[in-house]
Amino acid sequence: ILLLAFFTFASFLRMRHKDAVVSRALPKLNTTEIDISSKKNADLRRRRRRRIMGGKKISGARKRKKKKEKEEAAKEAVADMERLKLGPTPLWTGLVLHHKDVFVSHVLPKLNRTDRLFFSKVNLESWGVLKYARVDASELGIVVWECASISTLEWVWNNMPWGEKDDGGSVIDQTLFCMHVVLTNKLEFLKWAREV
């Protein structure tokens, strides 16, 4: 709705600007020249529209579909903006920001190295909590055998430095990745890694 209002306001300003330009030009032109120029402009606009649409007129169904798509996009944009306005959740502000000691003593020890890496990537406040816990966030890394879900494995797969050598001198490839996935003891993870 906000985007729609913005575009409506912008088009209003453009029309107002055009009216001002025409009103300044009116004393210089007679009425027959204005009629001819407006007909020419309308014809040019029609031709331009046809050129853009591939020379075909848009059917009513297609217009309705485009309108519906624009409305859905506007709704999604409004929903995204509302989500941004909400800000941090009470759990985040209460546990992570205001009661760091409880978070550090009860939650952080239960997170493995990969989970701590994801936590450190949330925002700068999470870096502050890790610093408070004396965890060096820059030294956190991905450990494939600590991944708890296929989505985590997929993120690791997409961010692997393929073709480079690891600390042991082995080249990072699919075979090495699958070897690390085997250490999770989950067959579905290995099936996923083999199919990728």
Side-chain angles (χ1 to χ4, degrees), residues 100-155:
K100 290 180 184 178
D101 54 343
V102 175
F103 183 79
V104 167
S105 61
H106 293 287
V107 178
L108 205 57
K110 294 178 180 163
L111 298 178
N112 60 35
R113 190 172 173 187
T114 305
D115 293 337
R116 288 181 187 186
L117 174 74
F118 285 126
F119 178 73
S120 72
K121 291 185 178 292
V122 172
N123 56 22
L124 290 176
E125 294 168 344
S126 61
W127 275 64
V129 171
L130 289 172
K131 188 175 181 181
Y132 176 80
R134 296 189 180 110
V135 174
D136 189 8
S138 63
E139 290 184 4
L140 293 174
I142 300 166
V143 181
V144 177
W145 58 83
E146 289 182 350
C147 292
S149 67
I150 290 179
S151 61
T152 309
L153 269 178
E154 186 176 3
W155 188 89

Side-chain angles (χ1 to χ4, degrees), residues 3-87:
L3 287 174
L4 186 61
F6 172 75
F7 289 124
T8 306
F9 183 68
S11 63
F12 168 73
L13 289 177
R14 270 190 252 119
M15 291 297 288
R16 201 166 147 204
H17 177 70
K18 285 180 185 176
D19 290 343
V21 170
V22 169
S23 66
R24 277 186 243 133
L26 276 178
K28 299 174 188 173
L29 299 172
N30 62 31
T31 56
T32 57
E33 289 176 345
I34 293 172
D35 291 338
I36 292 169
S37 66
S38 64
K39 287 179 184 176
K40 285 181 182 177
N41 286 338
D43 190 41
L44 284 172
R45 281 193 303 262
R46 235 181 276 117
R47 276 192 247 150
R48 210 176 290 139
R49 260 189 251 130
R50 283 187 181 161
R51 207 174 321 129
I52 290 170
M53 296 309 297
K56 297 180 181 178
K57 289 186 178 180
I58 302 173
S59 67
R62 190 164 177 188
K63 286 180 184 177
R64 287 188 296 274
K65 184 179 177 183
K66 276 187 149 187
K67 184 179 179 183
K68 187 177 180 181
E69 287 174 355
K70 284 182 182 178
E71 289 173 356
E72 288 176 2
K75 285 180 185 177
E76 288 178 15
V78 168
D80 288 342
M81 290 180 74
E82 288 296 323
R83 225 176 287 123
L84 290 174
K85 285 181 187 176
L86 291 176

